[in-house]
Amino acid sequence: MTKCCTYIPQIMLPKTGCDLSKWAVIACDQYTSQPEYWAETDRTVGDAPSTLRLTLPEVYLGEVDVAARTENIHKNMRQYVQDGTLRTLPPGVVLTERWSGGSCPRRGIVLAVDLEDYEYIPGSASLIRPTEKTVVERIPPRLKVRQGACIELPHIMILIDDPDRGIIEPLFAQNDSFEKLYDTDLMQRGGHVTGWFIPKGAQTDAIEDGLAALCDRAAFNRKYSCTDAQALLPFAVGDGNHSMATAKAYWEEVKKTLSADEQADHPARYVLVEVVNIHDESLIIEPIHRVMFGVEANALFDGLIAFYKAQGCKAYTVAQAPLNSAVHCYPYCAAGRRGVFVVEEPKWAIPVATIQAGLDDYLERNSDAKIDYIHGLDVTETLAAKPGNVGFILPDIAKNDLFRGVVFDGVLPRKTFSMGEAHEKRYYMEAKSIVR
């Protein structure tokens, strides 16, 4: 079977004897408003080898010494490679299992994907696409860290939609036969992570074949009830999209200096990711509710109804949701008022896209109105009970609706879903060279 986007890399890990509980540090885009978290991480790491010395926590992006920090990162990378702190494994992938406090672990495969198959531009038909809009202004400061780096330690999570659980999950029945690479607690409430090595061979061929099957056009059309008019989407970036967008920007710079033959296998062309099945039981996909501030309820609903009418839809408010699965419904609450806002014949594939389109239009037309995105039903209702506020309760999200939304609507609206708390995000462990 023809391979689809994937590449079996040579992964780098710390040498035997390194304290992995100090080596592994959470993704740099977490705790960006909590410098005390990073100060405690620094105290925990001390002088031990650590990915803290190889990455730039984004809490420091606005500091005056960011250039010096970046230079030290590049220096530390070179030192870790030269003195053997980092060792290079034979070609292969890492099977990983992460416990972070829930009732089951997150399971994934660490391998590389081809940046030639990834685009973040809206309307792209690439085989790897983000689930949410990429903020291009976030790329340049990250690109400065990657320029001059000799290795990468990305925290990217690529999602696949495999409801039959036939690609990743069966490998864990065989993990006793794989070499255990690491088995360590993670600092700062991070839980525990274990990794096993699968060398390049028949088993990695089977993994790549399973992933390539997600590119089968006929099966894809059946899964999402779509036609060839919709671009294939075997891989969706669920976490770390700005890290991946930065890797893409860097590769576009590098490839300009290379011949076609040199481009084919240059290490910067391939980015290290963790592939996770969206149907993994550990992934709890929670809706993010909306609260509008500085609005009068009747005026807001009149504005929304007019917007949807102009879009060829029918919208109205009722006391109870109709028994019709084809409509998009949103329980709402305001001071002394409750009901359900309904949109019939929606032109958007998933409910969150429908309501966000209407709210965005209202915000553009009413400069005094504001919006916030709220985790938790109780907080939403408390805020919405105050005069001048209206809260919309978003429905639960079916896991394959995330893919369906990107397939039909393009990137999902901002704040579509929440996938784990900060301490559950990926910790840096594996690395890969990005220079020849």
Side-chain angles (χ1 to χ4, degrees), residues 185-233:
D185 289 335
L186 298 170
M187 69 174 76
Q188 301 256 58
R189 299 191 307 124
H192 192 94
V193 66
T194 309
W196 297 266
F197 184 62
I198 305 178
K200 185 175 182 179
Q203 286 168 316
T204 61
D205 286 347
I207 292 168
E208 289 194 284
D209 286 346
L211 294 173
L214 299 173
C215 299
D216 180 82
R217 170 50 78 177
F220 185 87
N221 288 359
R222 289 193 300 270
K223 181 187 290 187
Y224 300 109
S225 301
C226 65
T227 68
D228 291 1
Q230 281 77 42
L232 289 168
L233 181 67

Side-chain angles (χ1 to χ4, degrees), residues 24-292:
V25 171
I26 203 163
C28 66
D29 60 350
Q30 299 301 307
Y31 301 103
T32 56
S33 299
Q34 296 171 255
E36 65 275 10
Y37 175 95
W38 293 102
E40 177 60 28
T41 298
D42 187 69
R43 286 191 290 271
T44 299
V45 167
D47 295 328
S50 176
T51 56
L52 182 63
R53 311 305 178 202
L54 306 177
T55 54
L56 180 63
E58 294 182 7
V59 69
Y60 302 127
L61 278 179
E63 299 294 323
V64 295
D65 65 344
V66 67
R69 287 178 181 270
T70 300
E71 185 178 341
N72 280 333
I73 288 168
H74 296 158
K75 177 182 176 182
N76 292 333
M77 286 178 172
R78 293 190 295 269
Q79 179 181 330
Y80 282 8
V81 172
Q82 291 167 2
D83 68 13
T85 298
L86 278 168
R87 60 191 175 106
T88 301
L89 303 178
V93 304
V94 176
L95 190 65
T96 184
E97 181 177 79
R98 165 81 179 281
W99 290 89
S100 54
S103 60
C104 52
R106 184 179 76 226
R107 290 172 163 174
I109 300 171
V110 179
L111 47 68
V113 296
D114 191 345
L115 288 165
E116 288 291 309
D117 292 314
Y118 162 76
E119 291 287 351
Y120 55 83
I121 299 170
S124 167
S126 59
L127 294 174
I128 309 172
R129 303 199 292 280
T131 52
E132 295 188 357
K133 182 180 178 181
T134 303
V135 181
V136 294
E137 292 80 9
R138 294 181 62 183
I139 296 175
R142 292 156 184 78
L143 186 57
K144 290 180 181 177
V145 178
R146 199 170 183 90
Q147 292 164 333
C150 61
I151 61 173
E152 64 173 8
L153 298 100
H155 55 268
I156 301 160
M157 184 189 296
I158 298 284
L159 299 174
I160 60 172
D161 184 4
D162 179 23
D164 296 330
R165 296 177 167 85
I167 300 172
I168 297 173
E169 290 78 359
L171 293 165
F172 284 86
Q174 311 171 49
N175 61 8
D176 287 344
S177 65
F178 303 141
E179 175 192 356
K180 185 178 288 186
L181 294 172
Y182 52 81
D183 190 11
T184 185
D185 289 335
L186 298 170
M187 69 174 76
Q188 301 256 58
R189 299 191 307 124
H192 192 94
V193 66
T194 309
W196 297 266
F197 184 62
I198 305 178
K200 185 175 182 179
Q203 286 168 316
T204 61
D205 286 347
I207 292 168
E208 289 194 284
D209 286 346
L211 294 173
L214 299 173
C215 299
D216 180 82
R217 170 50 78 177
F220 185 87
N221 288 359
R222 289 193 300 270
K223 181 187 290 187
Y224 300 109
S225 301
C226 65
T227 68
D228 291 1
Q230 281 77 42
L232 289 168
L233 181 67
F235 305 108
V237 185
D239 246 346
N241 182 60
H242 289 91
S243 176
M244 189 149 181
T246 301
K248 175 72 170 182
Y250 177 70
W251 167 237
E252 291 299 323
E253 286 185 355
V254 171
K255 69 186 289 187
K256 294 175 184 177
T257 69
L258 305 174
S259 68
D261 288 343
E262 290 171 330
Q263 290 177 20
D265 63 352
H266 194 280
R269 174 173 172 164
Y270 303 94
V271 64
L272 210 57
V273 303
E274 179 183 349
V275 178
V276 177
N277 186 4
I278 197 169
H279 298 279
D280 188 285
E281 294 178 356
S282 73
L283 293 186
I284 307 300
I285 307 297
E286 297 179 341
I288 301 176
H289 309 301
R290 272 68 172 153
V291 175
M292 295 288 284

Side-chain angles (χ1 to χ4, degrees), residues 296-309 315-317 337 341 361-362 365-366:
E296 195 281 318
N298 287 334
L300 173 60
F301 287 120
D302 287 346
L304 291 175
I305 289 168
F307 168 78
Y308 290 112
K309 181 178 180 180
Y316 51 89
T317 61
R337 179 175 177 179
F341 183 67
D361 178 78
Y362 190 85
R365 296 172 184 269
N366 298 270

